[in-house]
């Protein structure tokens, strides 16, 4: 979806996700935070919901998002948790950042809403240093039949209306992006899946 769409969501995003946050999202955020270290990039940072979980684990932090309004909220949250950040507005598929420049790259709930998820994964792999970790969490195609049924219905409307895809599974795209899985975990019924990955052979 467009920058303008996400700008409009910025003021209400945390209220919209408040029900799911403690039930489904916080466990994934904690899993990711436990693995963050060093020079860190978070893409599609939104309102910065991950920052309170990992702020004390980073040495340098760069936050990017398509939406200037989302970045503004994330920047205020970073200030509230006391972590200095560099902000970069732009598309995750075309980051104005050098190759091999981060120890950790974080992306949560940020692949479900991009046009080309493989292009984004390749870009994240480009900026990750050999031996560094890509940490991701997304709502993905459920392992439960009922979950998949609901997701199929949602998929008929949400991609066009909100840019939201419910049946993606980034874990299956690691290999064509030049990445290999290190670890993964998931919620009940695999509604949310988190993973860590590194550059192949690194
Ligand atoms: C569903 S929100 C997730 C926010 C946050 N990562 C979280 O875990 O709560 C998706 C975010 O991705 C951003 N976004 C959407 N498309 C993008 C793109 N192509 N490049 C960068 N950011 C994008 C939106 O502006 C929004 O802030």
């Amino acid at each position: 979806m467009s920058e303008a769409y996400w700008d409009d969501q910025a003021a209400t995003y945390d209220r919209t996700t408040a029900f799911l946050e403690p039930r489904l999202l916080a466990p994934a955020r904690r899993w990711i935070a436990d693995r963050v270290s060093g020079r860190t990039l978070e893409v599609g940072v939104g309102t910065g919901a991950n920052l309170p979980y990992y702020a004390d684990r980073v040495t340098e932090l760069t936050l990017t998002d398509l939406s200037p309004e989302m970045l503004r909220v994330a920047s205020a949250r970073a200030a509230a948790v006391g972590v200095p950040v560099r902000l970069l507005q732009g598309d995750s598929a075309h980051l104005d950042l050098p190759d091999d420049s981060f120890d950790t790259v974080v992306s949560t709930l940020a692949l479900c809403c991009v046009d080309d998820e493989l292009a984004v994964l390749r870009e994240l792999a480009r900026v990750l240093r050999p031996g560094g970790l890509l940490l991701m969490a997304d709502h993905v195609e459920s392992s439960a039949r009922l979950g998949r049924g609901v997701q199929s219905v949602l998929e008929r409307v949400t991609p066009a209306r909100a840019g939201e895809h419910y049946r993606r599974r980034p874990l299956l795209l690691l290999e064509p992006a030049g990445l290999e899985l290190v670890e993964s975990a998931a919620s009940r019924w695999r509604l949310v899946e988190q993973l860590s990955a590194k550059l192949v052979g690194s």
Side-chain angles (χ1 to χ4, degrees), residues 1-3 5-7 9-10 13-14 17 21 25 29 42-50 64-71 77 88-95 106-116 120 137-139 163-164:
M1 285 310 260
S2 68
E3 184 184 316
Y5 170 84
W6 286 108
D7 275 349
Q9 304 299 311
Y13 182 81
D14 288 345
T17 55
E21 201 47 64
L25 307 181
R29 297 193 195 285
E42 180 165 351
V43 296
V45 64
T47 60
N50 292 316
T64 79
D65 202 285
L66 191 62
S67 154
E69 277 306 304
M70 287 286 191
L71 277 181
R77 189 171 252 153
L88 187 65
Q89 190 251 327
D91 187 340
S92 302
H94 306 282
L95 297 168
V106 174
S107 165
T108 63
L109 311 177
L111 275 207
C112 44
C113 59
V114 296
D115 292 339
D116 183 345
V120 172
D138 275 287
H139 57 75
E164 198 72 28

Side-chain angles (χ1 to χ4, degrees), residues 166-196:
Y166 281 91
R167 304 191 63 189
R168 289 180 169 178
R169 200 162 171 223
L171 188 147
L172 303 178
L173 288 179
L174 293 177
E175 197 182 320
L179 293 157
E180 63 186 32
L181 185 67
V182 177
E183 286 178 272
S184 69
S187 71
R188 196 172 182 198
W189 302 319
R190 202 180 64 206
L191 294 171
V192 170
E193 183 169 60
Q194 56 268 31
L195 65 87
S196 69

Side-chain angles (χ1 to χ4, degrees), residues 73-139:
V73 180
S75 164
R77 189 171 252 153
V81 297
V83 62
V85 290
R86 174 168 58 144
L87 302 175
L88 187 65
Q89 190 251 327
D91 187 340
S92 302
H94 306 282
L95 297 168
D96 187 13
L97 293 166
D99 296 354
D100 304 345
S101 48
F102 293 95
D103 302 307
T104 307
V105 176
V106 174
S107 165
T108 63
L109 311 177
L111 275 207
C112 44
C113 59
V114 296
D115 292 339
D116 183 345
E117 50 181 337
L118 181 55
V120 172
L121 277 174
R122 287 188 167 134
E123 186 66 347
L124 303 189
R126 182 185 69 76
V127 299
L128 186 66
R129 72 157 170 84
L133 279 185
L134 169 63
L135 300 170
M136 303 183 60
D138 275 287
H139 57 75

